[in-house]
Amino acid sequence: MKRLRALVAVGVLALASAGAGTAQAAALSPASGTGGCPAAEIFATDNTAVITDPADPRLRTRLHRFDREVREIIRSHGARTESSTLLDGVFWSEDEQQATYERSREFDVARVDANGLHHIADVIRKQYRQESVLTFRCLPRTSPDTDAVEIQADGVSATRLRDALLADPVARERLGGGSVALGGRLILVAPLADLPLAREFTARLGVDWKSAEVRYGDEEFVA
């Protein structure tokens, strides 16, 4: 996925600042623990093109075949998946100096540990010729392995997300971008240390922080 190139450096920042990030998270989060979060998530696509036109017909694909194939990969490695979500991604490309677009899917994964999740993501990465695949394991806020947050909030369009990224050089550099489900639900994975920035950015998207769902966990860019 293209956004992963923009976010790898930020992941290093999160690990270096985990102590400060945890303290900030306690003050900023409207939720704690794992709640209704699935055990793990995989964010993946079969797209290898750079798409800069929001009207590009490739952005209308629903990735049905990809959905079936990835589910089979997950099951064949002993894990379980019951649902996936079609996403419109908007990411900032430093190389292109503009917003890029991508259709992808988020897969809920159960019955898997950290090593198994890494392996499944690596299989997906190789099969679909991706630079990297993002995984997120839901964990308690106080877990020593927690280094990231996943923010979900309703009422955000891909167009609004694009405009906000273009208007905010700091957010687009440090957060890289995000995704929006077709029903208008924002999904933004960010390093724990950047939770204050992510909160400010979502506020500019019109999100009421009190209604946002913040999940804590461990992110990995499997490359």
Side-chain angles (χ1 to χ4, degrees):
M1 300 175 73
K2 292 187 289 296
R3 69 170 161 175
L4 304 183
R5 294 198 292 271
L7 293 175
V8 167
V10 183
V12 176
L13 172 64
L15 291 173
S17 306
T22 301
Q24 292 167 333
L28 291 171
S29 174
S32 61
T34 56
C37 188
E41 297 169 295
I42 294 175
F43 296 84
T45 183
D46 62 356
N47 176 63
T48 56
V50 174
I51 301 174
T52 58
D53 180 2
D56 192 300
R58 289 172 293 184
L59 297 175
R60 294 197 291 269
T61 177
R62 298 190 67 85
L63 297 176
H64 289 309
R65 179 177 178 179
F66 178 71
D67 181 27
R68 293 192 300 270
E69 291 174 351
V70 170
R71 287 172 184 268
E72 180 55 35
I73 291 171
I74 293 170
R75 288 192 293 266
S76 69
H77 287 83
R80 184 178 66 213
T81 180
E82 296 180 353
S83 64
S84 77
T85 302
L86 186 64
L87 302 175
D88 285 322
V90 182
F91 313 113
W92 178 254
S93 170
E94 287 294 332
D95 293 338
E96 300 289 334
Q97 282 295 296
Q98 59 184 318
T100 63
Y101 303 87
E102 188 170 79
R103 270 284 169 99
S104 63
R105 280 190 175 271
E106 177 272 320
F107 296 86
D108 291 350
V109 184
R111 209 166 59 195
V112 67
D113 60 15
N115 290 335
L117 184 66
H118 175 97
H119 178 70
I120 292 170
D122 195 41
V123 171
I124 295 169
R125 179 189 65 81
K126 291 175 180 176
Q127 180 160 327
Y128 296 100
R129 305 188 307 279
Q130 298 297 303
E131 289 189 2
S132 50
V133 169
L134 173 63
T135 67
F136 185 84
R137 287 190 302 129
C138 286
L139 298 169
R141 188 179 65 196
T142 56
S143 169
D145 292 329
T146 293
D147 61 13
V149 292
E150 179 185 287
I151 301 166
Q152 296 198 15
D154 292 323
V156 177
S157 67
T159 301
R160 186 184 298 177
L161 176 59
R162 172 185 178 273
D163 292 345
L165 282 174
L166 293 177
D168 191 333
V170 175
R172 71 192 186 209
E173 178 182 349
R174 291 172 59 181
L175 301 178
S179 297
V180 178
L182 298 193
R185 186 165 181 82
L186 173 72
I187 300 178
L188 178 64
V189 178
L192 186 60
D194 278 331
L195 179 56
L197 174 63
R199 178 179 179 177
E200 293 173 2
F201 182 68
T202 55
R204 287 193 289 275
L205 289 170
V207 170
D208 178 359
W209 189 249
K210 293 180 181 178
S211 66
E213 179 183 359
V214 179
R215 299 170 170 181
Y216 293 83
D218 169 48
E219 68 173 352
E220 182 183 8
F221 299 96
V222 180

